[in-house]
Amino acid sequence: MWTHEHTAETPLTREAIWKVLADIDNWARWDTSMESVALLGPFAVGSQLSMTPIGQDAIVSTISEITENERYADETEFNGLTLRFSHTLVALPAGGTRVVHRLEIDGPGADAAGPEVGPMITEDFPEAMEGLLRRAAE
């Protein structure tokens, strides 16, 4: 398995950030790598979403975890690999939130493919995190 995390701390509450994460149809407004994102059903585990990265074909992901104000995760099958994306929101003792955006790449050949594919996918994590937090502050 290959993993990558990008973490940021903010004075914003988990609830403010969650409101933006749960609004999947508007992700393209803050995630600069996405042309469009659309929820295909209810905001619930097992539902799918269609994401179109800029300049690429649409991909379909499945929501794998929702814990309100704490964690959102989805999975995408890609060339025999499973890509697991997650956002985890941790309340800080002095107030504010630590946000962890994580990608795990698993499946046959993940150890070889992860270092090649992973950095291309995660290179925009800092920009996306900045966009998420900026949108949550509005």
Side-chain angles (χ1 to χ4, degrees):
M1 179 170 29
W2 185 90
T3 62
H4 175 81
E5 287 186 350
H6 180 75
T7 302
E9 293 187 359
T10 176
L12 296 168
T13 64
R14 293 185 308 166
E15 292 79 9
I17 299 163
W18 182 258
K19 183 177 177 184
V20 176
L21 282 175
D23 186 13
I24 290 176
D25 289 333
N26 284 303
W27 277 13
R29 294 181 73 180
W30 57 267
D31 188 336
T32 57
S33 70
M34 290 294 150
E35 185 175 305
S36 66
V37 181
L39 182 60
L40 307 173
F43 183 64
V45 172
S47 289
Q48 294 184 316
L49 53 144
S50 174
M51 296 187 281
T52 305
I54 294 174
Q56 299 179 34
D57 293 332
I59 56 174
V60 175
S61 298
T62 302
I63 298 174
S64 58
E65 187 176 348
I66 295 175
T67 304
E68 188 172 357
N69 298 322
E70 291 182 19
R71 185 170 162 85
Y72 168 86
D74 61 52
E75 294 185 3
T76 305
E77 298 298 320
F78 176 76
N79 290 342
L81 300 171
T82 301
L83 286 70
R84 293 184 188 95
F85 294 88
S86 64
H87 284 87
T88 303
L89 311 177
V90 179
L92 298 172
T97 305
R98 176 179 299 116
V99 183
V100 180
H101 189 184
R102 180 179 175 93
L103 169 62
E104 298 175 358
I105 300 177
D106 204 2
D111 290 336
E116 184 177 320
V117 176
M120 290 187 296
I121 296 170
T122 61
E123 71 183 351
D124 75 320
F125 274 22
E127 284 180 34
M129 180 79 74
E130 189 176 301
L132 169 63
L133 298 179
R134 186 172 42 252
R135 182 88 174 150
E138 293 177 351

